[in-house]
Amino acid sequence: MSWKVTAFAPRNVIQAALIAHEDAWDWDHDIVIAGSEIAEDKPDDWQLEAWMDRKPSKADRAAIAGLFAADAPELVTEKLPDTDWVTLSQQGVEPIREGVFHVHTPEYSPVNQHGVRDFVIPASQAFGTGQHATTAGCLAMLTHMKRQGVRVRNLADIGTGTGLLGFAGLHLWPTARAIASDIDAVCGPVVAENAANNGMVLGDGPGRMAMVIAAGMEHPLLEAAGPYDLLIANILAGPLVELAPDFARAVVPGGSVLLAGLLETQEATVRAAYRRAGLRLAARMVRGDWSILWLRRRATGEALRR
């Protein structure tokens, strides 16, 4: 038997709760969270849904309520019929089709089109509302970078979650070496499972991706594997600002940093931090309320353009 807890609130309140969920390092991963519009004709009325395969305890409800910065909305608990609750949590999660990529949950089929790379990623791992939009933007920007002639021999995906963006980078630059990291230890087996399901190879060497558990750049393998031609970080605005000097030092002169996970209203603050660290904007995209930024480190002797 599975259960669902639902909270109804305005869009900005639900989105803030989803961001808090993504930043909750001690979250119980048996509780799957998603946010969505209640109806197409009411775009500002949203719901947060939490699925689990047990009756919600007081601690479970407190954890869900704790995602809301102010007073939490009323939590509605319901028992669901016998079903696969993970599959239920994936219903209505549309595939991402951006750039040369098609990313879908297991309930959808691959497109099997020439020139399109299919990835299958369970929604319970990667498709919170903000994550869906920022992932799509990153896939579009990576495709744009490739078409602009960016060459990558060494890449890092910081805060990888599922491994998807690292996998996408290796698809575009198949001879590159890659390393992915996340602060959450549960991501290690998740990345391994997703690599196996998508024909990606883990480990060290060209066309392979190593995986480490680390906060920011604080891991010996991350230091040893650098400097990088491309560093990807789809995390949150606060950590992006804090890590700007570390990211700048980790890329080669002329190298690229791809940032996501920041709201458009947070973009000026993030860009200012990276400008101070010696990176300038190469391109930007907006997906919904979210900004995706491609920044480049100054080449040696290059004047910084404001």
Side-chain angles (χ1 to χ4, degrees):
M1 187 65 66
S2 55
W3 295 74
K4 182 173 74 168
V5 177
T6 307
F8 300 94
R11 180 181 68 171
N12 64 312
V13 174
I14 298 297
Q15 288 183 335
L18 291 168
I19 292 174
H21 168 251
E22 293 173 4
D23 200 32
W25 62 269
D26 58 348
W27 185 259
D28 182 349
H29 291 276
D30 288 334
I31 304 176
V32 176
I33 296 288
S36 62
E37 295 178 356
I38 296 173
E40 289 187 5
D41 61 342
K42 297 181 178 179
D44 291 325
D45 294 338
W46 278 47
Q47 61 185 353
L48 182 143
E49 297 173 291
W51 290 269
M52 63 199 79
D53 60 359
R54 61 179 183 260
K55 184 177 181 178
S57 65
K58 288 184 179 180
D60 294 333
R61 291 173 58 85
I64 296 166
L67 297 175
F68 296 91
D71 292 338
E74 180 184 358
L75 301 181
V76 179
T77 301
E78 59 183 308
K79 182 188 295 185
L80 302 172
D82 287 329
T83 186
D84 182 343
W85 66 280
V86 173
T87 299
L88 182 66
S89 73
Q90 296 172 355
Q91 289 180 356
V93 178
E94 296 294 327
I96 293 173
R97 179 66 177 87
E98 287 281 1
V100 299
F101 300 102
H102 176 254
V103 185
H104 60 97
T105 61
E107 67 172 341
Y108 288 92
S109 299
V111 295
N112 293 321
Q113 293 179 3
H114 177 71
V116 176
R117 178 58 160 96
D118 284 291
F119 285 110
V120 56
I121 305 288
S124 59
Q125 298 174 358
F127 287 83
T129 300
Q131 186 73 358
H132 191 280
T134 58
T135 298
C138 286
L139 295 173
M141 187 67 84
L142 286 168
T143 301
H144 173 70
M145 293 166 68
K146 174 71 174 183
R147 290 171 177 167
Q148 291 298 306
V150 171
R151 299 179 64 183
V152 176
R153 295 156 296 183
N154 195 17
L155 70 92
D157 179 11
I158 308 300
T160 188
T162 64
L164 174 61
L165 296 180
F167 298 158
L170 281 179
H171 172 75
L172 292 170
W173 295 279
T175 61
R177 294 174 180 265
I179 186 167
S181 72
D182 203 284
I183 195 172
D184 192 342
V186 76
C187 293
V190 166
V191 170
E193 179 182 357
N194 288 334
N197 290 338
N198 288 284
M200 306 302 295
V201 181
L202 297 183
D204 184 31
R208 298 170 179 258
M209 187 172 81
M211 175 67 196
V212 299
I213 303 302
M217 302 300 293
E218 295 177 4
H219 195 282
L221 288 181
L222 284 171
E223 296 178 5
Y228 302 98
D229 304 297
L230 169 62
L231 187 149
I232 306 165
N234 181 13
I235 46 178
L236 295 170
L240 288 177
V241 169
E242 182 180 349
L243 289 166
D246 292 343
F247 285 173
R249 286 191 294 268
V251 295
V252 299
S256 296
V257 175
L258 174 57
L259 303 180
L262 60 144
L263 293 165
E264 192 174 5
T265 55
Q266 299 168 323
E267 181 180 331
T269 300
V270 173
R271 285 176 59 176
Y274 283 81
R275 188 164 56 245
R276 289 192 297 270
L279 288 94
R280 56 184 173 84
L281 184 69
R284 66 183 291 269
M285 296 180 179
V286 176
R287 291 292 185 273
D289 297 323
W290 305 87
S291 293
I292 294 86
L293 307 178
W294 170 21
L295 305 166
R296 302 197 79 160
R297 182 181 170 188
R298 285 183 292 170
T300 304
E302 179 186 3
L304 179 61
R305 290 200 290 261
R306 296 285 175 177

